[in-house]
Amino acid sequence: DAGVIQSPRHEVTEMGQEVTLRCKPISGHNSLFWYRQTMMRGLELLIYFNNNVPIDDSGMPEDRFSAKMPNASFSTLKIQPSEPRDSAVYFCASSFGRAQETQYFGPGTRLLVL
Amino acid sequence: AQKVTQAQTEISVVEKEDVTLDCVYETRDTTYYLFWYKQPPSGELVFLIRRNSFDEQNEISGRYSWNFQKSTSSFNFTITASQVVDSAVYFCALSERTGNQFYFGTGTSLTVIP
């Protein structure tokens, strides 16, 4: 079975540009999570969807960040406009059930904003 | 206060040595779940184990074993006869019955020297 799929795997962009990260969760999973990993702050939960509905977006840094989940098999995380401090690895994870269940992570998107 | 503390930032061992990675957690919930994930140099996060708070039995899986002690709020991970392929960052995590969060520790970077 396919795991969580993320695209692109690497993204290099210039400050001010819009960045869109994509995620396809494991089929049958109904919870989806976006995380950001940096050396300074470790793994941070950005947003959590359950049954395509955002449940907790308290980790979204600011209005420049937005996330959508239009259906059970696709989610996007958008940064507009991007800034150098957004450079990080962004992980998508999915689980069957709620946040207490085991989360399975995608390979991550390594974002560099110049 | 940190929900999950991994006091060991970096550990180096020589191949074939045993090594224990410490994890101390904090929660007021009586029902909670503990996890370990491995992040090898390639960057993906690999699920290793999930434990619920009612199951204090130690778990062994090949060279890996986990010691869960509620009395000390610890969930330690031991690798027996370490191998170079065990070199990775290992994360301990906690989720509570109430709430929507996975609380990750800061990780322990393990280097196994051949």
Side-chain angles (χ1 to χ4, degrees):
Chain A
D1 284 342
V4 176
I5 298 171
Q6 291 187 246
S7 65
R9 295 292 307 276
H10 303 271
E11 178 82 24
V12 181
T13 190
E14 292 188 346
M15 184 173 65
Q17 295 298 305
E18 178 178 295
V19 175
T20 299
L21 311 181
R22 296 173 177 80
C23 175
K24 177 178 169 56
I26 292 172
S27 178
H29 283 188
N30 62 343
S31 287
L32 184 140
F33 309 81
W34 282 101
Y35 288 88
R36 178 171 66 178
Q37 186 179 36
T38 61
M39 287 294 293
M40 290 296 293
R41 301 174 69 90
L43 272 162
E44 303 174 275
L45 176 67
L46 300 177
I47 188 167
Y48 156 46
F49 292 90
N50 182 253
N51 294 323
N52 312 336
V53 176
I55 302 299
D56 186 348
D57 65 354
S58 58
M60 295 287 265
E62 49 199 271
D63 291 346
R64 297 185 299 107
F65 285 69
S66 63
K68 294 182 179 179
M69 192 163 186
N71 56 62
S73 58
F74 184 65
S75 177
T76 59
L77 177 68
K78 187 175 294 185
I79 309 172
Q80 166 63 15
S82 58
E83 296 182 2
R85 60 189 167 124
D86 302 329
S87 298
V89 180
Y90 290 82
F91 287 102
C92 177
S94 71
S95 70
F96 178 68
R98 300 189 303 136
Q100 291 77 13
E101 302 302 323
T102 300
Q103 296 181 22
Y104 295 90
F105 284 76
T109 295
R110 190 172 296 272
L111 173 65
L112 178 61
V113 183
L114 302 173
Chain B
Q2 286 282 349
K3 287 272 192 179
V4 177
T5 300
Q6 294 181 257
Q8 304 151 309
T9 306
E10 296 181 0
I11 301 177
S12 291
V13 298
V14 176
E15 199 170 23
K16 297 184 184 177
E17 286 184 349
D18 299 347
V19 59
T20 295
L21 310 182
D22 297 333
C23 174
V24 174
Y25 62 91
E26 180 184 333
T27 180
R28 291 183 178 181
D29 273 18
T30 55
T31 303
Y32 52 90
Y33 306 89
L34 296 163
F35 304 80
W36 277 94
Y37 285 82
K38 174 183 180 180
Q39 187 173 38
S42 52
E44 73 273 26
L45 277 152
V46 179
F47 165 72
L48 295 178
I49 191 172
R50 174 180 188 261
R51 235 0 177 204
N52 74 57
S53 52
F54 297 107
D55 184 359
E56 282 194 78
Q57 278 198 331
N58 290 337
E59 175 102 5
I60 298 174
S61 177
R63 296 184 298 105
Y64 293 174
S65 62
W66 290 269
N67 181 268
F68 176 26
Q69 291 197 339
K70 289 176 80 169
S71 60
T72 55
S73 296
S74 65
F75 186 45
N76 296 339
F77 173 30
T78 296
I79 301 174
T80 303
S82 59
Q83 299 177 2
V84 173
V85 293
D86 297 327
S87 296
V89 179
Y90 291 86
F91 291 93
C92 181
L94 163 76
S95 69
E96 298 165 320
R97 187 182 64 84
T98 57
N100 301 313
Q101 280 270 9
F102 247 50
Y103 298 97
F104 280 93
T106 50
T108 296
S109 177
L110 173 66
T111 301
V112 180
I113 303 165

